[in-house]
C-alpha cells in the first residue's frame, strides 16, 4: 500500500499512527484484491468525522419520514407530500437531495402501486383507499447525504398488496444478516433475491442501490439479485443503501417516455420498496438511516 510508513499518520484522518490504525485493514484489502475480489478504494471508506456528519444528515431524513408517517392519509395529493418533505427538511437546516438532481423536479419520490420508483409528486394524484405508496426521502446536510424510504398502506389495502409490502420490509432484515466486515455485497443481494423468490415475487434487476455519504450516489452500485462471494467486499467504513424493489409479477420494468423518470412494472402489477442506509462496522453493521 504505497509509501505510507508504519509511524506516519493514517490515511483515514484519525490522527493515529498507521500501524495502529488501518495497516492491518490495508493488508486484508491487498489479500482480497490478490484473490480477485472487488475491493473498495480508500475514498469509499468513511472516517469517524464523516460518519458523524452522515448521522446528522440522517437524523433529518428520519424526522422527515416520521412526519410523513404521521400525516399521510387518503385524500391528500402526492404534491402535498412533496411540500411537507421540502418544508420539514429545510426547517431542520437540510436540503432535499432529489431537488434538481439530474433535473429531477421535486423534493421526494412518491411511487404508488405499479410504479416501481422515481414517481414524481403531482397535484393530480390524490391518495385513495387501497393504495400502497413508497415515499423516498434523501437529505443533504453540510455536504453529507442520507437516503431512506418507507411504504405506506392507505386505508383498507388488499391482503395481496399488504403481503408484498410486509415481505419487502422483511427482506431488509434478511439482507442485513449478511452485512458483516469482509463479506461480499453479493451475499446480501443473494439473500434478498432468494427470500423474494421463496415468497413468489421477483426482484428488480436493472435498478439497484448505491454507496452514499459524500455524494448522493457513490460507488458501489448495489444489486439485490447478485451471487454470494461476488460484488464489492464489505470493508468496515463502507456505507451503502439496501433498497430492493420487489414485484408481485415480472421483474421487468420500463421508464415513462414523457417525464423520463417514473419507472413502472412491465406487467402493471404492484411493486414495493423499503430503503435503509447502512455502515459496515468492525463487528457487523449500523443502520444510519431508515
Ligand atoms: N432516492 C433514490 C434512491 O434511492 C434516488 C432518487 S433520484 C431522484 O437512490 F432524482 F429521483 F430523486
Ligand atoms: Co437510494
Amino acid at each position: 500500500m504505497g509509501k505510507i510508513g508504519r509511524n506516519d499518520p493514517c490515511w483515514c484522518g484519525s490522527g493515529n499512527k498507521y500501524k495502529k490504525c488501518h495497516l492491518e485493514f490495508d493488508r486484508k484489502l491487498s489479500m482480497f484484491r490478490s484473490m480477485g475480489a472487488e475491493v473498495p478504494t480508500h475514498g469509499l471508506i468513511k472516517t469517524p468525522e464523516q460518519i458523524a456528519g452522515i448521522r446528522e444528515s440522517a437524523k433529518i431524513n428520519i424526522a422527515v419520514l416520521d412526519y410523513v408517517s404521521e400525516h399521510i392519509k387518503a385524500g391528500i395529493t402526492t404534491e402535498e407530500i412533496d411540500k411537507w418533505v421540502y418544508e420539514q427538511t429545510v426547517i431542520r437546516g437540510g436540503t432535499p437531495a432529489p431537488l434538481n438532481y439530474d433535473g429531477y423536479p421535486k423534493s421526494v419520490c412518491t411511487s404508488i402501486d405499479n410504479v416501481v420508483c422515481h414517481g414524481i409528486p403531482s397535484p393530480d394524484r390524490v391518495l385513495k383507499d387501497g393504495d400502497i405508496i413508497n415515499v423516498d426521502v434523501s437529505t443533504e446536510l453540510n455536504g453529507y447525504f442520507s437516503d431512506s424510504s418507507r411504504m405506506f398502506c392507505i386505508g383498507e389495502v388488499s391482503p395481496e398488496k399488504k403481503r408484498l409490502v410486509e415481505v419487502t420490509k422483511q427482506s431488509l432484515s434478511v439482507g442485513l444478516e449478511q452485512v458483516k466486515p469482509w463479506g461480499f455485497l453479493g451475499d446480501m443481494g443473494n439473500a434478498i433475491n432468494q427470500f423474494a423468490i421463496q415468497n413468489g415475487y421477483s426482484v428488480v434487476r436493472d435498478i439497484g442501490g448505491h454507496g452514499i455519504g459524500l455524494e448522493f450516489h457513490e460507488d458501489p452500485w448495489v444489486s439485490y439479485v447478485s451471487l454470494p462471494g461476488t460484488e464489492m467486499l464489505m470493508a468496515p467504513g463502507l456505507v451503502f443503501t439496501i433498497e430492493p424493489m420487489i414485484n408481485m409479477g415480472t421483474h421487468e420494468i420500463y421508464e415513462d417516455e414523457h417525464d423520463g423518470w417514473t419507472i413502472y412494472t412491465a406487467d402493471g402489477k404492484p411493486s414495493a420498496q423499503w430503503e435503509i442506509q447502512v455502515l459496515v462496522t468492525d463487528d457487523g453493521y449500523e443502520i444510519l438511516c431508515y
Side-chain angles (χ1 to χ4, degrees), residues 76-187:
I76 62 136
T77 65
T78 50
E79 177 91 355
E80 282 171 83
I81 300 173
D82 186 66
K83 194 162 159 266
W84 298 341
V85 169
Y86 180 81
E87 287 173 0
Q88 294 298 316
T89 304
V90 167
I91 56 168
R92 290 174 172 83
T95 309
L99 193 55
N100 303 320
Y101 175 81
D102 239 354
Y104 187 77
K106 298 283 180 177
S107 296
V108 64
C109 298
T110 51
S111 304
I112 302 171
D113 287 352
N114 63 319
V115 175
V116 173
C117 63
H118 303 167
I120 304 174
S122 157
D124 302 326
R125 184 54 167 100
V126 180
L127 292 188
K128 58 178 195 304
D129 218 48
D131 284 339
I132 59 170
I133 178 172
N134 173 277
V135 179
D136 191 341
V137 176
S138 315
T139 300
E140 190 242 309
L141 177 73
N142 304 324
Y144 296 110
F145 288 85
S146 54
D147 186 7
S148 58
S149 78
R150 303 181 195 167
M151 293 296 298
F152 301 98
C153 291
I154 306 301
E156 207 59 47
V157 167
S158 74
E160 291 79 15
K161 287 206 277 185
K162 221 179 248 173
R163 182 170 161 273
L164 176 68
V165 169
E166 275 318 301
V167 166
T168 305
K169 186 174 191 182
Q170 288 164 16
S171 80
L172 298 187
S173 314
V174 170
L176 271 175
E177 272 176 45
Q178 302 301 323
V179 177
K180 40 179 93 86
W182 316 110
F184 291 88
L185 282 175
D187 307 344

Side-chain angles (χ1 to χ4, degrees), residues 205-253:
R205 314 177 82 88
D206 301 341
I207 304 179
H210 49 97
I212 175 169
L214 309 187
E215 292 174 60
F216 190 0
H217 295 111
E218 303 176 356
D219 280 346
W221 188 75
V222 181
S223 165
Y224 309 103
V225 293
S226 36
L227 295 173
T230 70
E231 307 292 327
M232 192 178 278
L233 182 71
M234 291 187 282
L238 190 68
V239 175
F240 60 93
T241 64
I242 303 182
E243 52 175 317
M245 285 141 270
I246 300 189
N247 294 356
M248 207 180 271
T250 177
H251 71 265
E252 297 201 51
I253 57 174

